[in-house]
Amino acid sequence: MIPLSRREFHLFQAAGRDFLYLVPSAAIFGLDQPSAAVLNVLGNASRSDDDIVAALAGRFDEAAARAAIRELVEVRAIGYQQRPDPVLPKMLPMAAFPLNTMVLNVTNQCNLACTYCYEYGEDKIVDTEHGKQSKFMSEATARESVEFLLKESGPSRIAHLTFFGGETLLNFPVLQATIAYARQRAAEVGKTIDFSLTTNATLLKPEIIEFLAENQVGVTISIDGPQELQNRFRVFHNGAGSYEVVAPKIKELLKRHRSRPIGARVTLTSDTLDITRIYRHLTEEMGFWEVGFAPVTTSPQQQYAIGEHGFDKMLGQFRALAHEFLENVAANKHHGFSNVKDTLEEIHKGVSKAYPCGAGLGLLGVSTDGDVALCHRFAGSDAHKFGTVRDGIDRHAQRAFLEDHHVADKTDCQKCWARPLCSGGCYHEAHVRYGTTKRPNLHYCEWIRGWTDTCLQIYGELSERNPDFLARFDREEVKAEAVL
Ligand code: SF4
Ligand code: SF4
């Protein structure tokens, strides 16, 4: 008889019971006692059905043990096989994948000089000072970009346009004109465009806030927290901190712009890892609806880079905040920790990624001169170019990229249970760390696996304590704003 052995899954505990995260299908399976016992008896060995049933005799009758084995085989947690699983299949997305989100870099200039910024430090990909790209996008290029989005979004009725920089609001006139133009053109072709932007908030003023509110533009503010943390890195060119300038403007924005929730996006460094304090300040004192955190992207030599110890600390704090999120949501109260909510949504939808993010697929960045690139962080880089807004997506270059970056070609990821949600991690991070977008980000695997395990536990708890909250993901009621 062919023996049984375990397949790919991650076991986790929540709400007082065991759950399996089934890696190939990204599905979650709650274990009853006989199923848990079968897995326990089997461990990492190969054993026949009869052997397992015999080992469980006295605890479960034969019918219950055999039923548990059958069920585990059906969900593919275990299987009859003599050889290890074959390597991952490499299935490429359809050839003309529709563009869902276009990130328009309306300027590559910034009025801040944040010490850690990937655009201006040693890690920069594009020379925005002396390079060939214009410093500001023209209205003509922005209009061409809108036409590009409408065309390349294919059959989708809704497309997303995100304005980005440099500091986005340095080119507010073009942003304003583009929204009017895009609205009109989208209506003419029977589509809707959803608008959003990311800004450092220094240039917000009443007319701009009014415009953003009236046009229901989603806003993400890049901010690092209370005064001393914000001023550590987010400084003007003369070195002066920006907190005193941005705080009153953000408060004004949050007071007036009520048509969409406003989110904060925090860059974490080894010097600013006080996550709970930052969260409290931004939600309770400033009034943000949501806060998303991202570790700084930089070479490990930088003193502010997050090292192994920093990732441990970050994970501990993320876990504490995620449990606060759980208690709030279980009691039907809002909590604005968007990292956990975004991951819960992916878990709920059974996301299993062949690529770490939408870059190069449903998301593309556009440089000031209209070159189309992998994402906003690569906009203007010839090495990561996918055509132009005038000539359309270079499908050949896109195909070659997708061929080269599939998770099936990332050897370490093939054996990793966190693969469905991570898939090797951000291309920009990999480019900065290893000089190539092709490498998986193996420097942060422990952090990714630890965080994914936490989110699975929160998911398991909520599936018992507030399943309605999770069901709302099906209707996308709690979908987060895109945080770039
Ligand atoms: S980068 Fe690391 S954590 Fe992510 S899928 Fe690959 S091996 Fe797993
Ligand atoms: S995760 Fe990285 S590669 Fe993907 S869109 Fe964001 S910055 Fe670009």
Side-chain angles (χ1 to χ4, degrees):
M1 184 187 260
I2 302 172
L4 282 163
S5 53
R6 70 169 275 171
R7 290 189 159 181
E8 267 193 306
F9 61 75
H10 173 68
L11 184 67
F12 65 96
Q13 281 80 35
R17 62 188 289 212
D18 289 325
F19 287 85
L20 293 185
Y21 180 55
L22 299 160
V23 179
S25 58
I28 291 176
F29 181 71
L31 291 176
D32 57 14
Q33 286 187 349
S35 308
V38 168
L39 291 180
N40 201 19
V41 162
L42 186 57
N44 288 324
S46 292
R47 298 181 78 163
S48 70
D49 304 39
D50 292 347
D51 219 12
I52 297 170
V53 171
L56 293 178
R59 290 170 62 201
F60 302 101
D61 63 33
E62 182 175 346
R66 291 203 185 275
I69 291 173
R70 253 195 324 276
E71 210 175 357
L72 288 167
V73 170
E74 264 165 34
V75 299
R76 298 178 182 225
I78 60 178
Y80 298 98
Q81 55 186 34
Q82 288 158 312
R83 282 168 290 130
D85 280 335
V87 288
L88 280 178
K90 188 170 171 181
M91 308 236 300
L92 295 192
M94 61 183 171
F97 199 88
L99 178 61
N100 172 270
T101 303
M102 176 177 73
V103 186
L104 213 52
N105 282 30
V106 288
T107 177
N108 53 33
Q109 301 299 291
C110 193
N111 58 338
L112 290 186
C114 305
T115 323
Y116 53 53
C117 182
Y118 60 84
E119 280 206 44
Y120 305 101
E122 292 164 22
D123 310 322
K124 68 172 174 254
I125 295 175
V126 180
D127 184 350
T128 50
E129 258 331 287
H130 311 289
K132 64 179 167 67
Q133 293 283 327
S134 306
K135 294 188 171 23
F136 293 89
M137 182 177 279
S138 68
E139 205 177 313
T141 300
R143 283 175 179 235
E144 287 170 329
S145 304
V146 169
E147 296 300 335
F148 168 81
L149 175 62
L150 290 172
K151 178 164 173 277
E152 299 290 359
S153 54
S156 308
R157 308 309 304 163
I158 178 154
H160 300 268
L161 197 174
T162 296
F163 297 94
F164 206 77
E167 168 42 37
T168 313
L169 294 179
L170 280 172
N171 203 357
F172 181 66
V174 164
L175 180 151
Q176 208 172 10
T178 308
I179 288 181
Y181 179 75
R183 264 202 213 298
Q184 184 208 323
R185 286 290 297 125
E188 283 168 14
V189 300
K191 294 199 182 206
T192 305
I193 297 186
D194 169 71
F195 301 100
S196 56
L197 64 82
T198 295
T199 173
N200 63 26
T202 53
L203 299 172
L204 285 172
K205 52 186 178 182
E207 324 65 288
I208 293 181
I209 293 173
E210 201 63 31
F211 175 84
L212 299 176
E214 268 176 19
N215 285 278
Q216 298 186 5
V217 179
V219 180
T220 299
I221 305 283
S222 303
I223 181 169
D224 286 355
Q227 186 176 39
E228 107 222 32
L229 297 183
Q230 166 83 355
N231 289 349
R232 187 102 37 107
F233 294 104
R234 301 191 66 80
V235 293
F236 287 94
H237 289 272
N238 64 5
S242 56
Y243 185 87
E244 296 73 3
V245 174
V246 300
K249 291 172 187 277
I250 292 171
K251 286 190 178 155
E252 199 51 41
L253 173 80
L254 292 168
K255 199 161 81 189
R256 167 67 188 97
H257 190 340
R258 315 291 293 184
S259 55
R260 284 177 75 161
I262 310 278
R265 196 262 191 213
V266 177
T267 299
L268 293 169
T269 67
S270 56
D271 291 348
T272 52
L273 274 179
D274 207 344
I275 291 164
T276 311
R277 185 170 153 227
I278 295 170
Y279 178 81
R280 297 258 179 279
H281 179 79
L282 294 178
T283 51
E284 292 167 16
E285 289 173 45
M286 297 281 256
F288 279 105
W289 179 250
E290 284 194 326
V291 183
F293 297 86
V296 66
T297 295
T298 188
S299 72
Q301 279 74 42
Q302 294 289 5
Q303 142 285 316
Y304 50 78
I306 299 178
E308 203 177 315
H309 176 66
F311 275 117
D312 287 350
K313 183 174 172 192
M314 193 169 102
L315 181 58
Q317 296 201 17
F318 263 51
R319 280 188 171 139
L321 203 52
H323 280 96
E324 188 180 286
F325 174 97
L326 167 65
E327 293 310 322
N328 274 40
V329 170
N332 265 323
K333 288 194 239 154
H334 169 73
H335 192 281
F337 184 23
S338 64
N339 298 67
V340 69
K341 194 178 67 180
D342 294 348
T343 308
L344 290 180
E345 180 169 2
E346 292 190 325
I347 292 170
H348 183 75
K349 292 183 171 171
V351 166
S352 183
K353 302 173 185 172
Y355 302 95
C357 63
L361 206 51
L363 180 147
L364 291 167
V366 177
S367 73
T368 48
D369 282 346
D371 284 356
V372 175
L374 181 52
C375 78
H376 51 292
R377 291 199 179 192
F378 294 93
S381 158
D382 285 339
H384 306 90
K385 189 168 159 180
F386 282 72
T388 71
V389 292
R390 290 166 278 276
D391 304 329
I393 298 175
D394 178 343
R395 297 287 180 187
H396 182 72
Q398 185 184 39
R399 191 84 188 154
F401 177 86
L402 296 174
E403 276 280 356
D404 284 350
H405 290 77
H406 198 282
V407 70
D409 291 331
K410 296 176 179 171
T411 315
D412 293 87
C413 305
Q414 282 190 27
K415 294 184 274 222
C416 173
W417 67 262
R419 182 179 76 234
L421 294 171
C422 171
S423 197
C426 171
Y427 300 125
H428 182 243
E429 175 88 16
H431 184 275
V432 170
R433 282 273 172 161
Y434 309 113
T436 169
T437 49
K438 288 185 196 168
R439 288 270 300 270
N441 286 291
L442 299 181
H443 58 282
Y444 62 34
C445 296
E446 286 312 311
W447 141 250
I448 291 289
R449 284 192 279 259
W451 175 237
T452 307
D453 179 67
T454 299
C455 291
L456 286 168
Q457 288 174 33
I458 304 281
Y459 187 88
E461 291 281 342
L462 284 177
S463 68
E464 303 275 329
R465 295 170 64 187
N466 190 353
D468 282 354
F469 174 83
L470 300 174
R472 287 161 65 199
F473 286 128
D474 297 326
R475 306 189 292 275
E476 300 205 313
E477 283 174 21
V478 285
K479 186 157 178 51
E481 299 291 316
V483 176
L484 297 172

